C-alpha cells in the first residue's frame, strides 16, 4: 500500500502550538484518502516551533496529489493552532510543499494547495478551480468594506481588533510589543510632564529641551542643539519626518506679497527676488490644507489654535535651504503680517514654531496616517478579497500588508476615534483631523505615490541644484530596486501583456482598490484596470514602496525590507529574484552608510536595513 511521509511545521510565536486532535486527508487526481489522525504515542505533538513527521499509509493509488485537508478537533480547551507549512514525501520520493502560515481556530479546517504560484488560467482541473473560487468567496465574507468616516478611504468592517479575521490580528508577541512600545514612548517623552507644560505657558524656550531628556541619538541631539537655527529649520523640510511638502517656487503666489526689499538681507547673490526665482533658488511650503480647519474644542478649559502658513525658503551660497519669509495665514493683510529673519529674534522664532506646528499636523494626519496607513490598508483588503493564496501577486504582497489592518483598527479604536488620543493631545482633534483627511482625499492622486514622478512634480529632482536632499536620493535607489524586483517576478508568471489583461483576479484586485478604497474618484488617476506588464510593475512598486520605504521615511521600522520569513513562493526562479533583490538592497545600505560617515547629521531613514516590510506600527 502507498505510504506518504507528512511533515508538519508549527509556528514559533507564542501560543502557536496545540493539544487538539489533528486529522489529515490527501486529495489526488485518482481519489481521496481516508481521514488520518496525526499522533505519535507518548509524544507531545504540535508544540510551538516543532517540526513533526508522520507516516500515512493509504489503501490505493491516489494519483497526483492536488490538495491536503487539515482538520482540528477539540481535545480539552479552546486551543488555536498556527500551521506554518506541510511537506509531503510521496511513495515515489518526490517532495511537495504546502505553505500555510495561518491560524486554525476552534473546530476548524484548512484545505491547502501546493506552493507553486498559479494564475487562474493555469488551473484546468475542476477541483482546483473550485478550491480557488471557494477561498475567495470565504474571504469576501470575512473582509468587508465599510465607511468609517465620510471622506476617508473605505476600511475593514470591524469595530475592534478582536473582530478581525484571526489571520490578520496581532499575534501575542506583537500585541505585547505594541503595549511596551507605547509605554516606552510615554516614558521617554515624559508625556505627563510634556502635556502639563502645555496647560500653562512656557516661561523659557529652554523648557523645550525637557522633552529630549531621555532621547539619546545623533538626530535628536542635533535637533536639540540647533532647533532655533534657520539652517536646521530648512534641513527638516528636506530630510525630516515630513520631506514631501517642499517644492521649487516657479512663481510667487499672489497671496504671499513678498518683495525684494523685504528679503534682500537674506539674498546672497545680489539678485532680485524674481531673478532668484528664475534661477531656481526659491522654494515654498504652503499649508493651505489647514485653512479653515476647526481647532480642537473638546476641552473647554484649553484654547487651541491652528495656522495655515506659507513659508518661503532660499538656497544660499552654501547650498543650504533657509527660511526667508513666513506668513501665518492664507489671506494677506494688516492682521496677517509677513515675518522675516530681520524681525526681532523671538518674533521670527515664534513664526517658525507656528510653521513647524502646522507641519506636524499635516505630517501626522496626511503624510503618515492617510498616505501610508490608510492606503496600505486599502491595498491589503483588496488583496485578501480578490487574490487567492496561490496567486503570485498575493504571494508577493502579503508580507507588505502584515499587521497593517490590525494596527489601523487599533488606531480607530484608540487614537483617531471620538475621545481618542487625537482629541486629547492634538490641536486638530475633535474633528479637525477628519476634515483634513476629507480634503486631502480630494487631492490624492496615483501619480503622487509614484516616487520619481512625485519628486519631479515638486521640482526637487535635480541633485546638482539640491545636493542635500537625501530623502530623494535614497528613495530613488530603493524605488528602483523594488521596481526591478517586481518586474522580475512579473516576468516569471506573465509572459505577455495579454496575460496581464486577461488575469481577471488581478483586474478585480485593482478595481477593488479604485472603486472602494479610493471611492471611485476618477480624478485620482488610480487605474481601474492594468493592461501591461510595465504598468503592473509600477503599480506593485507603488504598493510595496508605500507600505515599506515611504512609511519608514515618515515613521520608523521593525521587520526589514527584502526579508520574507514566510516562504509563500517555493519556485527557484522567484527565490533567485528575491536573493538578487536582497543583494541590491545590501548595496544601497553600503552606499548610504558610506555617505553618512561624512555627515554630522546622518540620514538613514531610507536605508533598507531600517525599512519595514509593512505598515505595522
Amino acid at each position: 500500500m502507498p505510504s506518504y511521509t507528512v511533515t508538519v511545521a508549527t509556528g514559533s510565536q507564542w501560543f502557536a502550538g496545540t493539544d487538539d486532535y489533528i486529522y489529515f486527508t490527501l486529495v489526488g487526481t485518482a481519489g481521496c484518502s481516508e481521514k488520518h489522525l496525526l499522533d505519535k504515542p507518548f509524544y507531545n505533538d504540535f508544540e510551538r516551533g516543532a517540526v513533526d513527521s508522520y507516516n500515512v499509509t493509504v489503501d490505493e493509488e491516489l494519483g497526483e496529489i492536488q490538495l491536503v485537508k487539515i482538520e482540528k478537533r477539540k481535545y480539552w480547551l479552546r486551543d488555536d493552532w498556527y500551521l506554518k507549512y506541510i511537506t509531503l514525501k510521496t511513495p515515489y520520493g518526490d517532495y511537495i510543499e504546502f505553505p500555510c502560515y495561518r491560524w486554525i481556530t476552534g473546530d476548524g479546517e484548512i484545505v491547502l494547495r501546493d506552493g507553486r504560484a498559479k494564475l487562474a488560467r493555469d488551473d484546468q482541473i475542476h477541483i482546483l478551480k473550485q478550491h480557488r473560487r471557494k477561498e475567495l468567496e470565504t474571504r469576501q465574507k470575512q473582509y468587508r468594506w465599510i465607511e468609517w468616516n465620510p471622506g476617508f478611504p473605505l476600511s475593514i468592517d470591524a469595530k475592534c481588533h478582536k473582530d478581525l479575521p484571526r489571520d490578520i490580528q496581532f499575534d501575542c508577541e506583537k500585541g505585547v510589543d505594541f503595549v511596551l512600545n507605547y509605554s516606552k514612548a510615554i516614558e521617554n517623552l515624559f508625556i505627563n510632564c510634556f502635556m502639563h507644560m502645555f496647560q500653562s505657558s512656557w516661561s523659557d524656550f529652554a523648557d523645550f529641551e525637557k522633552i529630549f531628556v531621555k532621547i539619546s541619538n545623533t538626530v535628536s541631539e542635533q535637533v536639540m542643539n540647533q532647533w532655533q537655527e534657520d539652517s536646521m529649520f530648512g534641513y527638516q523640510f528636506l530630510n525630516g519626518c515630513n520631506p514631501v511638502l517642499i517644492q521649487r517656487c516657479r512663481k510667487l503666489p499672489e497671496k504671499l506679497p513678498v518683495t525684494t526689499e523685504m528679503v534682500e538681507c537674506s539674498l546672497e547673490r545680489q539678485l532680485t527676488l524674481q531673478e532668484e526665482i528664475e534661477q531656481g533658488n526659491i522654494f515654498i511650503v504652503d499649508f493651505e490644507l489647514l485653512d479653515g480647519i476647526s481647532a480642537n474644542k473638546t476641552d473647554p478649559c484649553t484654547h487651541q489654535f491652528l495656522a495655515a502658513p506659507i513659508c518661503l525658503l532660499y538656497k544660499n551660497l552654501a547650498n543650504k535651504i533657509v527660511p526667508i519669509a513666513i506668513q501665518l495665514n492664507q489671506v494677506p493683510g494688516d492682521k496677517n503680517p509677513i515675518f522675516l529673519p530681520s524681525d526681532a529674534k523671538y518674533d521670527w522664532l515664534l513664526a517658525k514654531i507656528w510653521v513647524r506646528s502646522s507641519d506636524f499636523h499635516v505630517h501626522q494626519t496626511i503624510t503618515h496616517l492617510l498616505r501610508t496607513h490608510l492606503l496600505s490598508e486599502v491595498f491589503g483588503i483588496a488583496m485578501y478579497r480578490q487574490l487567492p493564496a496561490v496567486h503570485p501577486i498575493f504571494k508577493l504582497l502579503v508580507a507588505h500588508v502584515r499587521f497593517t489592518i490590525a494596527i489601523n483598527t487599533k488606531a480607530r479604536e484608540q487614537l483617531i476615534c471620538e475621545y481618542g488620543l487625537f482629541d486629547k493631545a492634538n490641536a486638530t482633534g475633535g474633528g479637525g483631523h477628519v476634515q483634513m483627511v476629507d480634503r486631502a482625499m480630494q487631492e490624492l492622486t496615483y501619480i503622487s505615490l509614484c516616487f520619481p514622478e512625485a519628486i519631479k512634480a515638486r521640482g526637487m529632482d535635480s541633485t546638482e541644484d539640491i545636493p542635500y536632499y537625501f530623502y530623494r536620493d535614497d528613495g530613488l535607489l530603493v524605488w528602483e530596486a523594488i521596481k526591478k524586483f517586481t518586474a522580475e517576478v512579473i516576468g516569471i508568471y506573465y509572459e505577455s501583456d495579454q496575460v496581464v489583461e486577461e488575469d481577471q483576479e488581478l483586474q478585480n484586485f485593482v478595481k477593488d482598490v479604485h472603486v472602494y478604497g479610493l471611492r471611485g474618484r476618477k480624478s485620482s488617476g488610480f487605474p481601474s484596470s492594468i493592461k501591461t506588464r510595465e504598468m503592473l510593475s509600477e503599480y506593485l512598486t507603488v504598493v510595496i514602496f508605500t507600505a515599506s520605504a515611504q512609511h519608514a521615511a515618515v515613521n520608523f521600522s521593525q521587520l526589514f525590507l527584502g526579508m520574507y520569513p514566510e516562504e509563500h513562493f517555493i519556485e527557484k526562479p522567484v527565490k533567485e529574484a528575491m536573493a538578487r533583490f536582497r543583494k541590491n538592497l545590501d548595496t544601497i545600505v553600503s552606499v548610504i552608510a558610506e555617505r553618512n560617515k561624512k555627515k554630522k547629521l546622518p540620514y538613514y531613514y531610507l536605508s533598507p536595513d531600517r525599512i519595514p516590510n509593512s505598515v505595522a506600527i
Side-chain angles (χ1 to χ4, degrees):
M1 292 188 292
S3 180
Y4 295 82
T5 301
V6 180
T7 301
V8 181
T10 297
S12 58
Q13 57 267 64
W14 293 351
F15 309 113
T18 185
D19 290 322
D20 284 353
Y21 298 112
I22 303 298
Y23 295 93
F24 181 79
T25 305
L26 290 163
V27 180
T29 53
C32 180
S33 75
E34 294 181 353
K35 184 162 62 175
H36 293 266
L37 175 64
L38 300 182
D39 182 56
K40 288 185 281 192
F42 310 109
Y43 178 78
N44 199 350
D45 306 274
F46 314 116
E47 287 292 283
R48 172 191 173 196
V51 178
D52 303 314
S53 294
Y54 305 87
N55 291 321
V56 173
T57 302
V58 299
D59 295 333
E60 56 188 24
E61 178 63 47
L62 299 177
E64 184 179 350
I65 299 301
Q66 302 295 313
L67 304 168
V68 296
K69 182 178 180 180
I70 304 95
E71 299 176 66
K72 186 169 76 69
R73 296 294 177 255
K74 185 178 179 181
Y75 170 69
W76 182 244
L77 299 173
R78 175 190 168 98
D79 196 9
D80 296 347
W81 179 41
Y82 188 84
L83 173 60
K84 288 177 66 178
Y85 62 83
I86 288 176
T87 301
L88 187 68
K89 182 182 179 183
T90 72
Y92 308 103
D94 299 324
Y95 286 87
I96 309 173
E97 297 179 49
F98 296 86
C100 182
Y101 302 105
R102 291 168 60 189
W103 288 93
I104 305 178
T105 61
D107 286 341
E109 63 181 52
I110 286 181
V111 180
L112 299 176
R113 290 183 55 163
D114 75 79
R116 293 171 297 174
K118 298 287 184 182
L119 301 178
R121 72 169 196 156
D122 299 325
D123 287 340
Q124 302 301 319
I125 300 174
H126 173 71
I127 193 171
L128 297 182
K129 292 181 179 180
Q130 184 182 47
H131 176 267
R132 198 175 193 114
R133 186 182 69 252
K134 283 187 175 180
E135 180 183 11
L136 289 181
E137 288 174 353
T138 300
R139 292 242 211 95
Q140 287 166 10
K141 292 176 182 176
Q142 293 177 317
Y143 295 82
R144 302 175 305 276
W145 295 104
I146 196 171
E147 182 183 72
W148 182 74
N149 229 313
F152 273 56
L154 295 193
S155 54
I156 192 76
D157 185 3
K159 292 182 178 179
C160 57
H161 179 264
K162 67 180 178 62
D163 293 339
L164 295 172
R166 182 68 177 88
D167 289 326
I168 62 169
Q169 291 182 22
F170 286 148
D171 56 36
C172 292
E173 290 162 274
K174 180 63 180 177
V176 170
D177 186 55
F178 177 83
V179 173
L180 291 178
N181 278 338
Y182 185 75
S183 302
K184 186 177 180 180
I186 292 177
E187 177 189 356
N188 282 353
L189 290 176
F190 274 48
I191 196 70
N192 291 330
C193 177
F194 181 75
M195 293 182 73
H196 174 73
M197 285 194 291
F198 279 98
Q199 299 302 314
S200 58
S201 298
W202 287 356
S203 59
D204 193 287
F205 278 109
D207 286 343
F208 181 77
E209 297 177 6
K210 294 178 183 178
I211 70 170
F212 287 100
V213 170
K214 284 198 174 184
I215 301 177
S216 56
N217 63 57
T218 303
V219 174
S220 63
E221 289 169 0
Q222 288 272 42
V223 171
M224 182 176 70
N225 294 329
Q226 302 176 24
W227 72 274
Q228 298 188 36
E229 297 178 11
D230 286 354
S231 58
M232 175 59 73
F233 180 87
Y235 177 89
Q236 287 179 304
F237 278 122
L238 294 176
N239 301 307
C241 64
N242 197 23
V244 301
L245 298 184
I246 187 169
Q247 55 186 306
R248 198 185 294 269
C249 182
R250 302 296 187 187
K251 181 182 178 183
L252 200 65
E254 292 183 4
K255 62 184 178 181
L256 184 65
V258 178
T259 65
T260 298
E261 291 70 29
M262 294 168 70
V263 296
E264 60 183 350
C265 64
S266 299
L267 306 181
E268 300 178 352
R269 295 178 177 86
Q270 311 306 314
L271 301 174
T272 66
L273 180 58
Q274 181 58 36
E275 289 170 337
E276 293 280 15
I277 290 174
E278 291 170 0
Q279 289 201 8
N281 296 322
I282 303 297
F283 300 83
I284 191 167
V285 180
D286 189 349
F287 294 92
E288 185 178 16
L289 179 79
L290 288 166
D291 189 32
I293 295 294
S294 304
N296 194 340
K297 298 177 181 177
T298 55
D299 182 357
C301 298
T302 302
H303 295 285
Q304 300 192 53
F305 304 91
L306 292 170
I310 309 170
C311 181
L312 206 63
L313 301 109
Y314 175 64
K315 185 185 74 172
N316 62 22
L317 291 175
N319 280 327
K320 292 184 178 181
I321 305 291
V322 295
I324 59 172
I326 293 172
Q327 181 177 285
L328 293 184
N329 287 295
Q330 293 287 305
V331 180
D334 294 340
K335 294 184 178 181
N336 187 23
I338 295 173
F339 293 91
L340 306 167
S342 55
D343 289 343
K345 175 182 177 181
Y346 290 119
D347 287 351
W348 178 238
L349 183 58
L350 283 169
K352 289 191 293 181
I353 289 175
W354 273 108
V355 172
R356 191 58 62 211
S357 172
S358 300
D359 192 52
F360 162 80
H361 294 303
V362 172
H363 164 256
Q364 283 294 329
T365 305
I366 307 306
T367 310
H368 186 200
L369 174 63
L370 172 60
R371 294 178 65 89
T372 64
H373 276 259
L374 299 185
L375 284 183
S376 292
E377 179 176 6
V378 166
F379 296 134
I381 297 171
M383 181 200 75
Y384 281 111
R385 284 175 52 82
Q386 303 298 347
L387 299 176
V390 73
H391 198 288
I393 304 305
F394 179 92
K395 290 173 179 284
L396 178 65
L397 296 183
V398 65
H400 299 288
V401 297
R402 184 173 185 258
F403 294 142
T404 299
I405 300 174
I407 194 69
N408 286 359
T409 303
K410 282 283 190 184
R412 287 187 285 270
E413 277 187 79
Q414 301 174 9
L415 301 181
I416 60 175
C417 58
E418 190 175 8
Y419 308 118
L421 190 58
F422 261 55
D423 282 4
K424 295 175 182 176
N426 198 323
T428 57
H433 60 299
V434 175
Q435 292 176 303
M436 288 175 67
V437 171
D438 187 17
R439 285 187 185 180
M441 274 290 288
Q442 303 306 314
E443 304 296 326
L444 179 66
T445 63
Y446 174 76
I447 201 71
S448 72
L449 300 176
C450 297
F451 191 81
E453 285 75 11
I455 294 290
K456 195 175 298 182
R458 292 189 286 113
M460 302 295 291
D461 50 314
S462 174
T463 55
E464 184 178 349
D465 290 349
I466 315 165
Y468 303 124
Y469 196 15
F470 306 130
Y471 164 75
R472 170 203 60 207
D473 300 341
D474 299 354
L476 288 171
L477 292 175
V478 175
W479 172 275
E480 289 304 321
I482 295 173
K483 192 172 183 183
K484 183 177 180 180
F485 172 53
T486 60
E488 279 197 68
V489 175
I490 290 166
I492 294 170
Y493 297 100
Y494 296 90
E495 64 265 29
S496 69
D497 293 343
Q498 183 180 351
V499 179
V500 171
E501 193 169 5
E502 292 176 353
D503 182 356
Q504 195 56 52
E505 290 169 341
L506 169 66
Q507 302 303 333
N508 289 343
F509 161 64
V510 174
K511 185 177 180 180
D512 239 34
V513 170
H514 174 70
V515 172
Y516 295 104
L518 278 301
R519 315 298 290 266
R521 190 170 54 83
K522 292 182 179 180
S523 60
S524 71
F526 268 79
S528 56
S529 64
I530 300 285
K531 298 184 182 300
T532 68
R533 293 192 296 178
E534 174 62 27
M535 187 178 178
L536 177 57
S537 176
E538 180 185 76
Y539 191 90
L540 297 177
T541 303
V542 165
V543 176
I544 295 173
F545 189 89
T546 299
S548 58
Q550 187 59 40
H551 183 250
V554 300
N555 200 43
F556 54 91
S557 63
Q558 57 252 267
L559 185 65
F560 302 129
L561 183 62
M563 299 179 68
Y564 298 94
E566 296 181 351
E567 295 189 27
H568 291 273
F569 283 111
I570 67 168
E571 296 95 321
K572 185 178 178 180
V574 188
K575 290 187 175 183
E576 290 173 345
M578 287 179 172
R580 286 190 291 273
F581 180 38
R582 283 190 288 269
K583 187 175 180 180
N584 288 339
L585 294 176
D586 288 341
T587 301
I588 296 171
V589 170
S590 299
V591 169
I592 293 173
E594 188 62 29
R595 179 200 65 206
N596 282 340
K597 286 180 183 178
K598 306 169 186 176
K599 302 297 178 186
K600 291 182 179 179
L601 186 56
Y603 183 81
Y604 47 73
Y605 300 123
L606 283 173
S607 182
D609 60 343
R610 295 171 180 259
I611 294 176
N613 254 341
S614 62
V615 175
I617 195 164

